[in-house]
Amino acid sequence: VNMMLRMIAVKAASKPLVEITQDGETLSIKTSTTVRTTHITFTVGQEFNEATVDGRPCTSFPRWETDSKISCEQILQKGEGPKTSWTREMTNDGKLILV
């Protein structure tokens, strides 16, 4: 993956605006940065297709790690690259933050 894309992705991810809605086990996360906006909707415990932060298509499997933490492993659909994942945790004031 192009090093310039990675640098842009890291810079953009440093201060995103994140909007999260939840309906039971289904979550919708909209992440907006100065570079782009992404929107994913998924059900915890079910795999789904998305793209890594640098645009590579992947299959993701989110699961509850604790009562307040979701972790998601991402497996590239083609090609090779570093293993990626994301984790979000619910804070005491009801915010879901990237961990």
Side-chain angles (χ1 to χ4, degrees), residues 52 56 73-76 80-85:
T52 61
R56 297 171 295 154
E73 299 242 352
Q74 298 175 310
I75 300 169
L76 293 178
E80 293 186 23
K83 189 174 188 177
T84 57
S85 63

Side-chain angles (χ1 to χ4, degrees), residues 32-90:
S32 302
T33 67
T34 55
V35 176
R36 71 178 186 167
T37 297
T38 60
H39 186 217
I40 58 170
T41 299
F42 61 91
T43 301
V44 179
Q46 296 179 9
E47 53 178 54
F48 68 100
N49 294 324
E50 66 170 330
T52 61
V53 71
D54 56 7
R56 297 171 295 154
C58 65
T59 300
S60 297
F61 187 75
R63 63 182 177 80
W64 289 108
E65 200 170 296
T66 67
D67 287 345
S68 61
K69 187 186 289 186
I70 297 172
S71 64
C72 185
E73 299 242 352
Q74 298 175 310
I75 300 169
L76 293 178
Q77 292 176 353
K78 62 181 182 176
E80 293 186 23
K83 189 174 188 177
T84 57
S85 63
W86 54 261
T87 302
R88 294 196 182 261
E89 186 169 15
M90 185 74 69

